Amino acid sequence: MAHTVQDHQMAQPQAAVLSLPPSGQAKRWTVLDSLLCGALAGAVAKTVIAPLDRTKIIFQVSSQRFSAKEAFRLLYCTYMKDGFLSLWRGNSATMVRVIPYAAIQFCSHDQYKRILGGYYGFQGKALTPFPRFLAGSLAGTTAAMLTYPLDMVRARMAVTPRQMYSNIMHVFVRITQEEGIKTLYRGFCPTILGVIPYSGITFFTYETLKKLHAERTRRSQPYSYERLAFGACAGLLGQSASYPLDVVRRRMQTAGVTGQQYGSVLNTMKAIVVQEGVVRGLYKGLSMNWIKGPIAVGGLLQL
């Protein structure tokens, strides 16, 4: 195409004519590219929805009934009592966690797709449904395992006043001294059990929608707004499927400051159902997740 432009515009200097690289020679994303883009996307997305996320966690760990009215009342009371920035309490721990979490998840997802593609004979081609689900699950599990203590810290900071935990290091020190180092991994089992369907369904849905889009439009890559919509749908399905385990995880993580005693995953789930019911207990705050979840996941996946 550059030669055609040059032929028809002889007076224009050759240096001023920009040519696109051949489509088959587009730059391949490296591991570092995936790490940086995943980290940036995760930080931006989580910061945007931080007040809603904190509100959801507070309801998840309490026996108070959830409603949109009560959620907005909590936001308003927090703002009036502690100021605007208090709505982002715990976001520093979220940033410290989500940057490596998102980077590891995105990077490992690309690597797992490549490995599974070679194993199942789809190297360089779109994976079939099961390998797509498996790649997403493995990526989420890898990221969760390597960053879990920071998730515990984020939950503790979200549900406590500043006087109890002043910063991230203060949370680590107090938990280690008062409850033991094992407490930093309390709730790890429901986290892993939840991240397998969550990440698997999310990445599977996103990759499937991209594949169907390419087949229908004959375009290899969707536009940004289309990727955002695909990511939002993927996040909605993934978070809804794993939400009860998210409630269980938060209850176990904050047991040391709420005065509750929870043992195993099943015992925690049973206690929630007995005291609050299935829908009002295990799905408490899900409607808020439907607002914030697609925003966060859509923003992440469109990169």
Side-chain angles (χ1 to χ4, degrees), residues 35-72:
L35 283 169
L36 293 177
C37 287
L40 176 62
V44 172
K46 286 294 186 181
T47 299
V48 170
I49 53 90
L52 296 179
D53 196 40
R54 182 179 182 230
T55 302
K56 183 203 71 173
I57 293 174
I58 291 173
F59 275 99
Q60 282 181 323
V61 303
S62 73
S63 58
Q64 183 179 355
R65 184 175 177 180
F66 175 84
S67 68
K69 181 180 178 180
E70 289 297 316
F72 284 111

Side-chain angles (χ1 to χ4, degrees), residues 49-152:
I49 53 90
L52 296 179
D53 196 40
R54 182 179 182 230
T55 302
K56 183 203 71 173
I57 293 174
I58 291 173
F59 275 99
Q60 282 181 323
V61 303
S62 73
S63 58
Q64 183 179 355
R65 184 175 177 180
F66 175 84
S67 68
K69 181 180 178 180
E70 289 297 316
F72 284 111
R73 190 175 72 85
L74 176 60
L75 285 167
Y76 177 74
C77 291
T78 302
Y79 164 69
M80 293 300 294
K81 181 181 179 182
D82 301 316
F84 182 70
L85 292 180
S86 66
L87 297 174
W88 275 265
R89 174 163 167 76
N91 193 53
S92 57
T94 301
M95 290 300 96
V96 174
R97 171 185 172 265
V98 79
I99 290 175
Y101 181 94
I104 293 167
Q105 186 181 40
F106 269 71
C107 177
S108 61
H109 183 243
D110 288 339
Q111 300 306 309
Y112 284 130
K113 283 199 301 182
R114 181 180 60 81
I115 293 170
L116 292 172
Y119 180 79
Y120 285 100
F122 294 100
Q123 193 70 48
K125 302 177 183 178
L127 296 177
T128 52
F130 178 71
R132 283 204 299 272
F133 177 86
L134 189 58
S137 296
L138 289 171
T141 302
T142 302
M145 290 176 64
L146 295 176
T147 62
Y148 183 77
L150 289 166
D151 188 48
M152 156 70 82

Side-chain angles (χ1 to χ4, degrees), residues 53 56-57 60-61 151-152 154-155 245-255:
D53 196 40
K56 183 203 71 173
I57 293 174
Q60 282 181 323
V61 303
D151 188 48
M152 156 70 82
R154 190 269 182 276
L245 287 166
D246 189 48
V247 174
V248 171
R249 167 179 65 136
R250 295 305 188 192
R251 292 290 178 100
M252 296 179 72
Q253 286 176 336
T254 59

Side-chain angles (χ1 to χ4, degrees), residues 200-212:
I201 292 172
T202 299
F203 278 106
F204 166 78
T205 303
Y206 181 72
E207 294 290 337
T208 299
L209 290 173
K210 280 181 62 179
K211 181 174 179 293
L212 292 174

Side-chain angles (χ1 to χ4, degrees), residues 159-284:
V159 301
T160 56
R162 185 174 181 83
Q163 292 78 6
M164 184 165 188
Y165 297 122
S166 57
N167 55 52
I168 298 173
M169 286 305 301
H170 190 203
V171 183
F172 275 113
V173 171
R174 283 199 62 174
I175 289 178
T176 303
Q177 291 179 345
E178 298 175 7
E179 303 174 55
I181 196 168
K182 281 185 177 181
T183 305
L184 293 173
Y185 286 89
R186 182 183 292 162
F188 181 73
C189 286
T191 299
I192 297 302
L193 291 174
V195 82
I196 291 173
Y198 166 65
S199 294
I201 292 172
T202 299
F203 278 106
F204 166 78
T205 303
Y206 181 72
E207 294 290 337
T208 299
L209 290 173
K210 280 181 62 179
K211 181 174 179 293
L212 292 174
H213 175 272
E215 292 173 353
R216 281 192 168 244
T217 63
R218 305 298 179 185
R219 283 189 281 116
S220 60
Q221 291 295 330
Y223 298 128
S224 295
Y225 69 88
E226 292 170 330
R227 291 201 300 271
L228 181 63
F230 296 163
C233 292
L236 189 66
L237 293 175
Q239 292 189 345
S240 297
S242 61
Y243 194 79
L245 287 166
D246 189 48
V247 174
V248 171
R249 167 179 65 136
R250 295 305 188 192
R251 292 290 178 100
M252 296 179 72
Q253 286 176 336
T254 59
V257 294
T258 59
Q260 300 292 331
Q261 293 294 328
Y262 296 111
S264 65
V265 175
L266 289 178
N267 287 339
T268 305
M269 192 172 290
K270 181 180 177 181
I272 295 172
V273 172
V274 169
Q275 295 171 11
E276 304 169 48
V278 175
V279 176
R280 293 179 181 175
L282 294 178
Y283 290 91
K284 180 185 293 184

